[in-house]
Amino acid sequence: MTTSAPLIGIVMGSDSDWPVMEQAANMLDQLGIAYHATVASAHRTPERARAFAKGAEEGGYKAIIVGAGAAAHLGGVLAAEVNIPVIGVPIDSSPLKGMDALLATVQMPGGVPVACMAIGKAGAKNAGVFAAQIVAQSDPQVAARLVRYREEMAQQVARKAEALEARITAGG
Ligand code: RP5
């Protein structure tokens, strides 16, 4: 991660969520945005979760990315504490494979939003992009990096299409 002051918080219910949540961190690294990542649980450490939210607000964070599995209340609990955008990532860590976390994260009562991403790694990656889009509103350098990111994605698809078409033409 970059060494400047964090603009984004990444918090997850357990260290076991990190293999998913590191997708968000990787995306922020790629886009040159500093973050602070930690663990706090809505149920096991409610005071720590509240303190993280308050610290993020006092530290001037632009958004908080929250990952939690099972009865995933962490995003909602943090959103209840602060006026910073909260981006939720439902983690597929339970026998219900993230459907429980999805519903717990997305079904917030009116007035307290959590921007809920997809379940699992794609959701975490998109949380990183979404946070970058928030930062880009006031940072032209990040906005330019997002434009390049999209261009590179399109180039990758074009390369894959070319390779697949060549394989099909060759009969493989
Ligand atoms: C949730 O329970 C966490 O976010 C994690 O997805 C899941 C399992 O946690 P551990 O038992 O691995 O700590 O609260």
Side-chain angles (χ1 to χ4, degrees):
M1 83 182 264
T2 63
T3 50
S4 44
L7 288 178
I8 303 296
I10 302 178
V11 61
M12 61 216 85
S14 171
D15 62 343
S16 63
D17 296 326
W18 177 245
V20 172
M21 294 307 290
E22 74 177 339
Q23 304 296 318
N26 290 345
M27 190 50 62
L28 294 176
D29 280 333
Q30 196 178 323
L31 294 166
I33 299 171
Y35 56 86
H36 173 220
T38 191
V39 174
S41 163
H43 307 117
R44 294 166 175 161
T45 64
E47 281 309 321
R48 183 175 166 81
R50 185 172 297 118
F52 181 83
K54 291 292 178 199
E57 193 161 58
E58 280 157 23
Y61 288 18
K62 302 286 188 193
I64 305 174
I65 299 172
V66 182
H73 296 131
L74 187 58
V77 162
L78 297 197
E81 295 288 341
V82 292
N83 260 319
I84 306 169
V86 171
I87 307 165
V89 181
I91 308 276
D92 43 340
S93 57
S94 79
L96 298 186
K97 299 187 172 26
M99 278 307 293
D100 42 5
L102 171 67
L103 296 178
T105 304
V106 78
Q107 286 295 75
M108 287 297 291
V112 188
V114 171
C116 184
M117 303 288 115
I119 297 170
K121 288 185 176 178
K125 185 174 183 177
N126 281 346
V129 176
F130 198 75
Q133 288 171 335
I134 291 170
V135 172
Q137 300 307 307
S138 54
D139 185 331
Q141 284 188 332
V142 172
R145 284 182 208 130
L146 276 168
V147 170
R148 263 205 311 280
Y149 169 69
R150 289 260 166 137
E151 286 168 357
E152 280 161 18
M153 215 165 27
Q155 283 164 11
Q156 260 177 33
V157 172
R159 276 197 298 274
K160 285 178 184 176
E162 213 175 294
L164 181 72
E165 286 167 22
R167 227 165 58 213
I168 292 167
T169 308

